[in-house]
Amino acid sequence: MKKLLKKIFLFSLVAIILIFLIGRRLDWFSNAQQDTGSRSAAPSGLQVKGMIINAASLDNRIMTSGTILPDESVDISSEASGKITAIYFNEGKKVKKGDLLLTINDAELQAQLKRLQFQETLLVEREFRQRILLEKEAVSQEVYDKALADLNTNRAEIMMIEAQIAKTMVKAPFDGIIGLRLVSEGSYITPNMRIASLVKIQPVKIEFSIPERYASEVKPGNKINFTIGNTNEHIAEVYAVEPMIDQSTRTLKLRAIYPNANLDVIPGSFASVELILRTYYEALSIPTEALLPMLGKQIVFLYKNGLAEPVEVETGIRTSELIQVVSGINANDTIITTGLLHLKKGMTVVLSDLG
């Protein structure tokens, strides 16, 4: 019996030594130690990112589109019919208010004016003689009244002819840039024919619309930023607001004015408009992805002493990237911005990145 136990003991000892030697050769024990070490070194808790809340100014903005309009624009035409005798403007050039642009043949009207002016001289002398005779009671009041009436009638006819002559001279109604000419010297024009366009582009207007829910927040004096294509951003000021909502689009139309000192904005262009309704100073704002709707409430998770703590907040305005928080958090709080769907109250978390 003792011999049997001794054999079993020796056999077991040899087996243990063989297993140990084979294990060392195959690195069984080193891998186990490394795994144990890595598990003990791994941090406990959910890896999340966060940011420290700081107070800063926040603009309530509306993004919309608009159209650039000239300050003034008119199609130049003549009030009279006739043949063009001269054209005094150059296409695409600046003109001043009152500059003569075009004349129409007025020879017949000038002749009528001369005749009436000669006739006026005679009527003035006749009225003078009749007045002297009336003072001497040599003629009746009726005779003098007729002479005076003839003189006044002649003067009225002169004024009418002068008005007709004035219509044969087309003048610029305001300062601006005249467009392409559509008529030629010697052609016959009528009042319904367009001669050219006159546009005033210093300043220009920006016309745009906003949703009706913002109607009570806009007023003359609001600033807008607008861009045209890939140009730099320009700043304009709202100067007029439509007094009623457009019922078909449920929008409110506004116009802003831009000095256009460098003539770099062309009327008719499409504009991307950003209207600044109000600026909130010392506002607390968080990234949009940090807000979690939960059971009709707005929840954010704060990082406190290595734990995630849910806090109900009240929000204000929104931008494309930020949401204003008006209550529930304070400046210098650390808010968690990732892994929100996995968080629970009091859960251990590890900040891997603090923005």
Side-chain angles (χ1 to χ4, degrees), residues 1-238:
M1 186 66 180
K2 291 182 178 180
K3 291 182 178 180
L4 179 61
L5 292 173
K6 187 176 181 179
K7 289 181 179 180
I8 293 172
F9 173 77
L10 292 173
F11 180 79
S12 300
L13 182 60
V14 170
I16 292 172
I17 293 172
L18 288 174
I19 292 172
F20 177 77
L21 293 174
I22 294 171
R24 286 195 61 184
R25 188 170 185 83
L26 297 178
D27 291 327
W28 289 352
F29 304 107
S30 61
N31 289 340
Q33 290 175 356
Q34 290 176 2
D35 292 341
T36 304
S38 62
R39 284 197 298 269
S40 62
S44 61
L46 180 67
Q47 297 276 336
V48 296
K49 295 181 180 180
M51 65 174 291
I52 298 175
I53 304 301
N54 295 313
S57 61
L58 183 65
D59 292 330
N60 187 13
R61 302 168 181 258
I62 300 175
M63 303 299 296
T64 184
S65 59
T67 302
I68 306 299
L69 303 176
D71 185 45
E72 302 289 350
S73 177
V74 68
D75 286 336
I76 301 296
S77 59
S78 170
E79 294 184 76
S81 299
K83 187 173 77 170
I84 298 175
T85 57
I87 295 175
Y88 299 96
F89 67 89
N90 294 317
E91 297 170 287
K93 300 298 183 180
K94 291 183 178 181
V95 296
K96 295 289 186 180
K97 180 178 180 179
D99 284 355
L100 184 62
L101 304 177
L102 177 147
T103 56
I104 298 172
N105 184 12
D106 63 349
E108 184 177 347
L109 293 173
Q110 292 290 352
Q112 293 180 32
L113 179 61
K114 284 291 184 182
R115 177 177 60 82
L116 291 171
Q117 288 173 341
F118 291 144
Q119 188 173 331
E120 182 184 19
T121 302
L122 296 175
L123 292 174
V124 169
E125 293 178 356
R126 178 183 173 190
E127 184 274 336
F128 176 74
R129 290 194 300 269
Q130 295 297 335
R131 180 157 34 91
I132 296 300
L133 292 174
L134 179 64
E135 292 174 356
K136 297 180 178 180
E137 297 183 354
V139 296
S140 65
Q141 182 69 42
E142 182 180 356
V143 173
Y144 171 75
D145 290 343
K146 185 177 185 309
L148 181 60
D150 290 342
L151 175 60
N152 289 335
T153 300
N154 188 84
R155 287 175 173 171
E157 290 179 354
I158 290 175
M159 292 175 63
M160 183 177 64
I161 295 298
E162 288 176 342
Q164 292 178 354
I165 292 174
K167 291 180 179 180
T168 65
M169 295 182 291
V170 180
K171 297 182 179 181
F174 50 80
D175 296 352
I177 298 176
I178 200 156
L180 304 181
R181 176 162 52 88
L182 302 177
V183 296
S184 300
E185 190 173 322
S187 59
Y188 187 89
I189 63 171
T190 59
N192 61 350
M193 289 182 63
R194 182 173 162 227
I195 298 170
S197 60
L198 179 63
V199 180
K200 183 179 180 182
I201 62 173
Q202 279 184 315
V204 292
K205 303 170 183 175
I206 303 93
E207 184 175 277
F208 60 98
S209 298
I210 62 173
E212 65 175 327
R213 65 178 177 273
Y214 299 113
S216 62
E217 300 184 46
V218 295
K219 59 184 181 299
N222 283 119
K223 302 294 183 181
I224 71 166
N225 299 322
F226 71 96
T227 56
I228 300 172
N230 296 323
T231 62
N232 295 329
E233 191 174 78
H234 307 282
I235 300 176
E237 181 177 313
V238 174

Side-chain angles (χ1 to χ4, degrees), residues 312-333:
E312 182 180 355
V313 296
E314 182 180 352
T315 60
I317 65 170
R318 291 172 177 254
T319 68
S320 59
E321 298 177 351
L322 299 174
I323 301 176
Q324 180 192 19
V325 178
V326 296
S327 67
I329 62 174
N330 300 306
N332 298 319
D333 283 347

